[in-house]
Amino acid sequence: MDQIIIIIIVAVVALAIGFFIAKLLERNNASHVVKEAEKNAASIVKEAKAEAESIKKDKILQAKEKFIELKSEHEKVILKRDKKISEAEKRTRDKESQVSSELAKTKKLNAEMESKQKDFDERLDMLEKKRTEVDKLHRNQIEQLEVISTLSAEEAKKQLLESLKDEAKTDAMAYIQNTMEEAKMTAQQEARKIIINTIQRIGTEEAIDNCVSVFNLESDDVKGRIIGREGRNIRALEAATGVEIIVDDTPEAIILSCFDSVRREIARLSLHKLVTDGRIHPARIEEVVRKTTKQIEDEILEVGKRTVIDLGIHGLHPELVKAVGRMKYRSSYGQNLLHHSREVARLCGVMASELGLNPKLAKRAGLLHDIGKVPETETEMPHALLGMQWAEKFGEKPEVCNAIGAHHDEIEMSNLLSPIVQVCDAISGARPGARRQVLDSYIQRLKDLEDIAFGFNGVTKAYAIQAGRELRVMVESEKVSDDKAAQLSFEITQKIQTDMTYPGQVKVTVIRETRAVNIAK
């Protein structure tokens, strides 16, 4: 037990001694570390001071350099400003010297002007005095002339003006007459040249349309079947088509008569289908006529489309295309209306090209000029005005509408296409063989024209020429003066308009000749 206590005491003492020794060693190490740290701090401070001195010197040098640079820039600005000030002072001095010289010149000019004004005033006074003297002398001369001529100055002036006016009027009338004659000759030559070239370039065959069609039969036995029991088949066919069917003794033929070509064509095709099929009775007739009518309507539309394509016309309204197709089954004085309109369209295109106008627009107006002749319902309105209304309704240009409405002078022409269409329409209708009229009525109309002319005093001869389109009247120069000749032409035209019915226009030309005849013996 005691040994254990001793061991513990010894251990405690040893532990205390070790702790004391450790503390001593730690203190020595700490002092050594502190000294090292102080030494390092002193060296760091020394280095920092040295570096601070270096930086301070650099900054001072940079500041000096910046100051020197700013000073030099400031000196440059000062020098530049001083230079500008000196230049401005120099310009000011130059202007002052210039102004002073100008003032000197102005003073000099003013002095000269004053002297010239004074001289001018003196001359003006002298001229006034001389003018007064001249006026006095002029009045004295006029008074002497009035005494000598027994006329006042106003009367003499009036007579002189009248004579000069008459002379000027005569010269002006002569000049105007010569100019007009020359212009007429030139215009007629050019117009004749264009028209002849156009006619020569457009050559078409003429085909006269009849008002009857002949339907050929294989045998006369078919006639009885067409007539039917108590004529019921033929009555049904006439009622359905509106065509007069003439069954006479003509062998193997039936005549279809109607002025409407469409109805006549429907009747012909329907009759052909009925005869081919063999079933002919009223119900079958109505069915065939209905189908044929639809077929003809489709054909009309197809003909219209083909026509506008052939002529190179685009953008035409479908209703107008349909109207063009209906022209195939219309005739005017025996001339097929579609052939006539196609010819007029080509003539208008050629003539418009010769005159430097739009040929496509001219073709359009030429093709549509007679669409008023194919109305679906009858109307009392002239065909030209009706066609113009249709064209306006379906969006045609104003030039085309005016050309359609004015080609028979129902309205006033407002553009150059209108007279072209009128002329081409006349050319197409005037071709030999283009139109047909009954010979007796034609001769009677010409005779009536000449008789109207002979009904006026002073007329010696009268000739109806150009197929009745012109009436030439010869008058006696002793009984009819030039003014009376113009009046006579007007009176004859009025008489023709009131007493006669005729297609187109009639031109009345009154010719007055003065002849002087002497005989040398």
Side-chain angles (χ1 to χ4, degrees):
M1 187 69 181
D2 292 335
Q3 289 179 353
I4 294 171
I5 293 170
I6 292 171
I7 290 170
I8 292 172
I9 293 170
V10 172
V12 170
V13 171
L15 183 62
I17 291 170
F19 180 76
F20 180 75
I21 292 170
K23 285 290 184 181
L24 288 175
L25 290 173
E26 183 179 357
R27 186 174 182 182
N28 290 331
N29 288 332
S31 62
H32 180 71
V33 170
V34 168
K35 287 180 181 179
E36 287 293 330
E38 289 177 352
K39 186 177 179 180
N40 289 334
S43 65
I44 289 170
V45 169
K46 185 177 179 180
E47 290 177 0
K49 287 182 179 179
E51 188 175 355
E53 287 294 331
S54 174
I55 291 171
K56 182 179 179 181
K57 289 179 182 179
D58 290 339
K59 293 296 181 182
I60 290 171
L61 287 173
Q62 289 178 4
K64 288 181 179 180
E65 290 176 357
K66 187 68 175 177
F67 176 75
I68 293 169
E69 183 179 353
L70 292 173
K71 184 177 179 182
S72 63
E73 290 180 358
H74 180 68
E75 288 176 352
K76 289 179 181 179
V77 171
I78 295 299
L79 289 172
K80 190 175 182 180
R81 186 177 64 185
D82 293 342
K83 185 177 180 182
K84 288 183 178 180
I85 292 171
S86 62
E87 289 177 354
E89 290 177 350
K90 183 178 179 182
R91 287 197 299 270
T92 304
R93 288 194 298 271
D94 293 340
K95 287 184 178 180
E96 288 178 353
S97 62
Q98 185 177 359
V99 168
S100 61
S101 63
E102 292 292 335
L103 287 173
K105 290 180 180 179
T106 304
K107 290 180 180 179
K108 185 176 180 181
L109 289 173
N110 288 336
E112 292 178 356
M113 289 295 294
E114 289 177 356
S115 63
K116 288 182 178 179
Q117 182 68 32
K118 185 177 180 181
D119 186 23
F120 177 76
D121 292 338
E122 291 177 355
R123 291 185 178 182
L124 187 61
D125 293 337
M126 187 181 297
L127 287 173
E128 286 292 336
K129 292 179 181 179
K130 289 184 177 181
R131 190 175 67 179
T132 304
E133 294 176 358
V134 169
D135 291 341
K136 186 176 180 181
L137 290 173
H138 182 64
R139 284 195 298 272
N140 292 333
Q141 289 178 354
I142 290 174
E143 290 175 356
Q144 293 177 2
L145 288 172
E146 289 178 354
V147 172
I148 295 171
S149 62
T150 66
L151 289 174
S152 64
E154 292 297 328
E155 292 175 350
K157 187 188 295 183
K158 187 176 181 180
Q159 290 184 4
L160 179 61
L161 286 175
E162 289 294 333
S163 62
L164 291 174
K165 191 184 296 182
D166 293 339
E167 184 178 354
K169 187 182 294 185
T170 303
D171 293 341
M173 289 296 291
Y175 177 75
I176 291 171
Q177 186 68 24
N178 293 333
T179 305
M180 288 181 64
E181 291 295 332
E182 184 178 355
K184 285 180 180 179
M185 291 177 62
T186 306
Q188 288 175 359
Q189 290 175 357
E190 291 298 323
R192 191 178 295 112
K193 178 182 177 183
I194 291 173
I195 291 173
I196 291 173
N197 288 337
T198 303
I199 294 172
Q200 289 176 344
R201 290 172 62 180
I202 305 296
T204 59
E205 296 181 359
E206 298 298 341
I208 303 299
D209 283 351
N210 295 315
C211 295
V212 296
S213 297
V214 177
F215 183 75
N216 297 316
L217 303 173
E218 294 181 356
S219 66
D220 289 337
D221 296 336
V222 183
K223 290 184 179 180
R225 296 169 56 192
I226 293 173
I227 295 172
R229 184 179 299 176
E230 297 178 356
R232 64 176 187 172
N233 290 345
I234 195 169
R235 286 198 302 271
L237 190 58
E238 289 180 344
T241 59
V243 174
E244 182 183 1
I245 301 175
I246 302 172
V247 181
D248 53 13
D249 296 334
T250 305
E252 298 180 355
I254 292 177
I255 297 175
L256 308 177
S257 176
C258 181
F259 283 95
D260 191 331
S261 303
V262 177
R263 296 207 305 264
R264 196 168 69 248
E265 183 67 12
I266 291 173
R268 188 186 68 80
L269 292 177
S270 300
L271 197 57
H272 176 73
K273 291 179 180 178
L274 290 169
V275 171
T276 303
D277 184 55
R279 293 176 294 168
I280 306 176
H281 53 83
R284 177 63 177 166
I285 288 171
E286 292 178 357
E287 179 185 357
V288 170
V289 168
R290 186 167 56 252
K291 290 182 179 179
T292 305
T293 303
K294 181 65 171 60
Q295 177 185 346
I296 290 295
E297 290 177 354
D298 295 340
E299 184 180 352
I300 284 173
L301 187 59
E302 184 63 27
V303 168
K305 290 180 180 178
R306 189 165 57 248
T307 299
V308 297
I309 290 172
D310 290 344
L311 293 174
I313 297 172
H314 305 286
L316 204 62
H317 194 277
E319 289 297 328
L320 294 179
V321 174
K322 190 175 179 181
V324 171
R326 284 202 301 271
M327 289 182 183
K328 178 181 177 182
Y329 301 101
R330 292 290 187 275
S331 61
S332 176
Y333 297 98
Q335 185 181 23
N336 184 271
L337 195 58
L338 181 60
H339 294 168
H340 166 66
S341 297
R342 289 170 63 99
E343 183 181 10
V344 171
R346 290 195 294 270
L347 288 168
C348 288
V350 174
M351 195 171 291
S353 299
E354 293 289 339
L355 295 173
L357 302 177
N358 187 347
K360 293 185 178 179
L361 206 61
K363 280 186 179 180
R364 201 181 192 97
L367 179 64
L368 299 177
H369 81 284
D370 269 348
I371 57 173
K373 290 184 177 180
V374 288
E376 294 183 351
T377 57
E378 295 298 327
T379 178
E380 297 295 330
M381 184 180 295
H383 75 275
L385 298 181
L386 181 60
M388 182 181 69
Q389 287 186 0
W390 284 4
E392 291 174 347
K393 179 181 177 181
F394 297 121
E396 290 298 317
K397 292 185 178 181
E399 296 90 338
V400 176
C401 297
N402 181 260
I404 295 171
H407 78 277
H408 284 314
D409 294 323
E410 275 85 0
I411 62 173
E412 185 178 355
M413 298 181 181
S414 62
N415 59 82
L416 289 177
L417 285 183
S418 301
I420 289 176
V421 171
Q422 187 181 55
V423 169
C424 294
D425 179 41
I427 291 172
S428 176
R431 285 183 182 273
R435 295 185 174 182
R436 179 184 62 191
Q437 291 177 320
V438 179
L439 181 61
D440 294 336
S441 63
Y442 168 74
I443 295 174
Q444 185 62 39
R445 184 165 68 87
L446 299 184
K447 188 174 184 302
D448 292 341
L449 281 174
E450 295 177 354
D451 291 339
I452 287 175
F454 282 117
F456 290 85
N457 294 327
V459 176
T460 58
K461 296 178 182 179
Y463 302 107
I465 61 175
Q466 296 289 332
R469 295 177 182 271
E470 183 177 355
L471 178 64
R472 291 188 180 177
V473 181
M474 314 293 181
V475 297
E476 296 179 9
S477 59
E478 294 82 6
K479 295 182 179 180
V480 180
S481 62
D482 289 338
D483 295 335
K484 182 66 175 176
Q487 183 181 354
L488 180 62
S489 175
F490 175 79
E491 291 175 355
I492 292 174
T493 56
Q494 295 299 311
K495 183 72 171 175
I496 293 172
Q497 290 178 6
T498 55
D499 294 354
M500 293 188 64
T501 302
Y502 53 92
Q505 300 175 342
V506 178
K507 178 182 177 182
V508 178
T509 304
V510 176
I511 301 173
R512 175 180 178 271
E513 284 186 338
T514 302
R515 296 186 181 183
V517 180
N518 290 303
I519 299 174
K521 296 181 181 179

